[in-house]
Amino acid sequence: MVRLRKQTLDGNVETLLLAILEAGPSYGYAIAKELNQRCQGILQLGEGTIYPVLHRLEEKKLISAKWRLAENGRERKYYRLTARGRKALVTNRQQWQMLGVVMRRVLKSTKNLSPKPQLKGATI
Amino acid sequence: MSRALQKYLDRVMIYANRNKKDAAQIRAELEDHLLKKIADLEESGLSREDAVFGAIEEHGHPRTVGYGLRKRFSWVDVRTHGTARGFVAVGPKAVGIIAMGGVAFGLFAFGGLAVGLITFGGLALAALFSFGGLSAAAVGYAYGGFALGLVAVGGFACGLIATGGMAIGLIVPQAGTSIAPQNSALYTQYLQDSFLMSRQITVISTFLFWGTLVVLILTYLVLTKMEYHRINRADPKLVN
């Protein structure tokens, strides 16, 4: 299976996390779990690497956090989307949809532009 | 909680390098994540030990997680794993600031130098001319002074003065002798002053440039050493 490269993803994990928090407040582990489920194995991030992104989003005030008592009796940090975050998500979603359309159109059209290169009798 | 988990969190927090309050909160958050993950893995049938190591593995390398959790814009970054062991990097913003500062100082210094060279050229030409004017006026050969005045770009004004002096010199040789060299000398003096001022600007700018560079390099080395010792004190295995 083809996996996404980290460089391709850089800067876009923020949007992914905002999209997950759109459903409602959640905490780190649940967010990571949900992200992995939605990605269906195409994207595999170290679970710990979502925390820097969550903290960055919190700094940007796109999400807010609150410590609450969890079912195991421990304090747990819950994150929720702010109005600003919701707005950013709408914008990012539109941008991605447009980019998706552009990429599909351009990549599809290049198919017919040049013949397949021949290398020592082999066809790529 | 298992020792392996504590050790992992310790290492993450060494790299994160946050203040006590932040560190406690981040650690609590990561700990909660890992405990929940371990519980889930155990539920799926893994032994406690396998669950702990599985959770740690999926959480990511302590360095990767820790560096990500650093306060943004850390000036000094010590990488101590793999092929980059001991490699030290300065934050990209710091590099940018140093480079911009250097370029600014450099431009200023070279600008000063250029001004100095120009005024030095002017001074040379003016001096050349004034001597030409002096001799021409003194001996009454005003044409020589006039020619020199045209050639000397910086001393063109002097040329005009000397030409005036020459004219006077033609009519009243004594007057020409006294006026032309005097004005030329004044202009020469003015150019010389300008040159000295430019030279001072150049010297100050150059000193500031190199001085700042040396201070920045020393600061960088001290910060790097401090960072290295901090990680070494916290966990020598991370740097040895």
Side-chain angles (χ1 to χ4, degrees):
Chain A
M1 182 192 281
V2 181
R3 291 224 176 110
L4 275 177
R5 277 182 296 216
K6 195 184 170 293
Q7 292 95 317
T8 315
L9 198 70
D10 274 349
N12 296 308
V13 182
E14 288 190 5
T15 308
L16 297 179
L17 297 188
L18 288 176
I20 285 166
L21 285 170
E22 195 183 19
S26 191
Y27 57 97
Y29 178 66
I31 294 170
K33 209 171 162 183
E34 178 66 18
L35 181 67
N36 283 335
Q37 269 172 11
R38 288 201 204 177
C39 292
Q40 297 174 342
I42 297 172
L43 169 67
Q44 281 194 331
L45 286 174
E47 289 182 2
T49 56
I50 67 159
Y51 288 98
V53 186
L54 284 170
H55 294 177
R56 206 157 56 229
L57 288 170
E58 199 184 343
E59 272 174 33
K60 289 181 183 172
K61 300 197 188 316
L62 297 176
I63 59 174
S64 62
K66 218 172 212 176
W67 287 87
R68 272 191 253 157
L69 211 60
E71 75 283 346
N72 59 5
R74 295 173 62 90
E75 285 275 303
R76 181 171 286 161
K77 196 175 183 182
Y78 282 83
Y79 296 94
R80 60 179 284 276
L81 213 58
T82 61
R84 209 163 150 182
R86 212 168 284 278
K87 223 170 161 181
L89 179 61
V90 171
T91 312
N92 290 359
R93 190 172 269 144
Q94 285 170 345
Q95 293 285 312
W96 267 104
Q97 280 165 352
M98 276 158 66
L99 186 65
V101 172
V102 169
M103 292 299 280
R104 266 194 300 277
R105 284 186 188 172
V106 174
L107 293 179
K108 201 177 166 186
S109 64
T110 51
K111 250 186 175 179
N112 309 321
L113 284 177
S114 55
K116 287 178 181 176
Q118 301 277 328
L119 283 178
K120 288 183 182 173
T123 309
I124 294 174
Chain B
M1 203 203 304
S2 83
R3 262 189 83 201
L5 204 60
Q6 289 289 3
K7 195 87 188 158
Y8 173 78
L9 289 170
D10 285 346
R11 288 185 169 178
V12 169
M13 297 321 295
I14 288 167
Y15 285 113
N17 193 22
R18 301 292 290 257
N19 64 41
K20 264 189 186 171
K21 192 186 157 211
D22 288 352
Q25 288 198 344
I26 292 168
R27 195 184 172 107
E29 192 178 17
L30 299 184
E31 199 176 305
D32 178 57
H33 180 118
L34 287 161
L35 289 174
K36 188 98 174 80
K37 179 81 184 178
I38 291 166
D40 275 7
L41 290 174
E42 275 185 305
E43 252 178 52
S44 71
L46 287 182
S47 69
R48 172 78 184 170
E49 199 182 0
D50 286 346
V52 168
F53 285 105
I56 289 173
E57 200 183 325
E58 283 193 38
H59 205 256
H61 196 285
R63 186 191 55 205
T64 314
V65 180
Y67 274 126
L69 289 166
R70 275 193 174 205
K71 267 242 179 262
R72 291 172 91 190
F73 191 34
S74 55
W75 286 78
V76 184
D77 182 9
V78 179
R79 308 196 179 197
T80 52
H81 273 262
T83 52
R85 176 175 289 198
F87 177 73
V88 179
V90 178
K93 275 191 191 171
V95 172
I97 289 168
I98 293 168
M100 289 297 284
V103 168
F105 275 125
L107 284 176
F108 190 40
F110 282 111
L113 180 67
V115 171
L117 286 173
I118 291 164
T119 51
F120 186 73
L123 170 71
L125 289 172
L128 188 69
F129 170 76
S130 72
F131 283 112
L134 175 68
S135 58
V139 295
Y141 293 118
Y143 287 109
F146 183 60
L148 280 170
L150 286 174
V151 171
V153 179
F156 184 66
C158 295
L160 290 174
I161 294 163
T163 310
M166 174 197 73
I168 296 165
L170 282 173
I171 304 159
V172 190
Q174 277 306 110
T177 311
S178 58
I179 292 169
Q182 194 183 3
N183 289 324
S184 297
L186 274 175
Y187 188 65
T188 304
Q189 185 61 48
Y190 167 74
L191 285 174
Q192 197 174 21
D193 289 347
S194 303
F195 167 66
L196 287 173
M197 197 175 74
S198 303
R199 196 180 62 178
Q200 277 165 359
I201 290 171
T202 305
V203 168
I204 290 167
S205 305
T206 310
F207 176 76
L208 276 174
F209 171 60
W210 288 109
T212 311
L213 200 66
V214 167
V215 167
L216 284 171
I217 289 169
L218 286 176
T219 311
Y220 161 72
L221 289 174
V222 168
L223 284 173
T224 304
K225 201 87 182 153
M226 279 166 64
E227 175 75 347
Y228 184 85
H229 283 307
R230 189 186 67 76
I231 293 180
N232 193 37
R233 260 201 314 276
D235 191 343
K237 280 183 186 162
L238 294 176
V239 287
N240 294 317

